[in-house]
Amino acid sequence: MTLRLVAGPLERFFAEAPDTPGPAGFDAWRGAVDRALAARGLAALARGAGADAPETGEALGWGAYGALVMWAAYADQPARTRPLMEPDEWHKDPAVLACAAPGFASHFPTLVRGVELWLPGGFDAVLEIPAPGGDVLDAGSTGELARELEDLNAATWAATGAEIRGWTDTVDAQSPRVDDLARRGLAAFVRAAARARAGAIAVWLEY
């Protein structure tokens, strides 16, 4: 199962989600999301460019995503020793599990708590919102995602913007090292977050 990172309009996210009721259901779903935001004292979603806004996506891969989550989890818990090599099951890593525990105050909540959709905006909460096909999903904001990526880089690599942009080409795509995988993951997320904020669109994981 391939993992992609996509930046695009919410209408596209809704249309491509599993078990979606189709384009006619988008307005009702968006209203449900707005009510979930209002319940937390947050403003409704701004009306963006609509379904015609451009969508960009790239292969991220579970290894790069998992390594980035681990990198954030260990930055949250510097007393722990981060593994050198990619584990078989990163989601069972003790630092990742500790960050997901109730009451843990993470500096990188949308990275370490299973968020799959970042809504246009700047709120700092992780929200439980209705999923397009029923059930629920965890969502953050593109503004919060950008802040977390910037803070994670500052706390660990302290790389320049040019260095981050170059990681996709300069870091070995076949490397099993957690630091190499995490750098490729960060570069992909930085690109997606920048596109999203420039176009008032969303970011999501597609698999």
Side-chain angles (χ1 to χ4, degrees):
M1 183 169 53
T2 302
L3 179 66
R4 297 177 72 244
L5 184 64
V6 182
L10 278 173
E11 289 89 344
R12 202 77 53 79
F13 166 77
F14 181 84
E16 296 171 1
D19 303 319
T20 179
F26 176 75
D27 287 343
W29 174 73
R30 183 170 187 141
V33 173
D34 282 344
R35 289 191 292 275
L37 290 166
R40 296 287 293 273
L42 301 170
L45 294 172
R47 295 308 187 252
D52 293 333
E55 174 185 310
T56 59
E58 61 181 289
L60 176 62
W62 291 103
Y65 173 63
L68 182 62
V69 173
M70 289 178 60
W71 200 265
Y74 280 90
D76 260 338
Q77 302 167 82
R80 294 180 182 267
T81 302
R82 184 173 52 240
L84 178 64
M85 309 302 284
E86 178 187 12
D88 290 334
E89 296 181 301
W90 60 265
H91 58 284
K92 295 182 179 180
D93 179 90
V96 173
L97 292 175
C99 284
F104 184 87
S106 174
H107 292 90
F108 316 102
T110 75
L111 288 175
V112 301
R113 292 188 177 145
V115 167
E116 297 185 16
L117 170 65
W118 290 264
L119 299 165
F123 60 85
D124 61 4
V126 174
L127 302 178
E128 189 175 85
I129 66 170
D135 207 355
V136 295
L137 60 83
D138 287 328
S141 75
T142 55
E144 173 64 15
L145 174 62
R147 182 202 65 77
E148 291 178 21
L149 296 170
E150 182 178 345
D151 288 355
L152 180 58
N153 174 54
T156 55
W157 295 291
T160 66
E163 288 173 329
I164 293 171
R165 288 190 294 273
W167 282 345
T168 300
D169 298 320
T170 60
V171 177
D172 182 4
Q174 304 305 314
S175 172
R177 291 172 56 98
V178 170
D179 57 342
D180 286 339
L181 287 163
R183 283 188 290 167
R184 290 182 63 85
L186 184 92
F189 266 93
V190 166
R191 283 192 295 273
R195 291 168 185 152
R197 300 198 74 194
I201 54 178
V203 172
W204 65 90
L205 298 173
E206 180 180 274
Y207 52 91

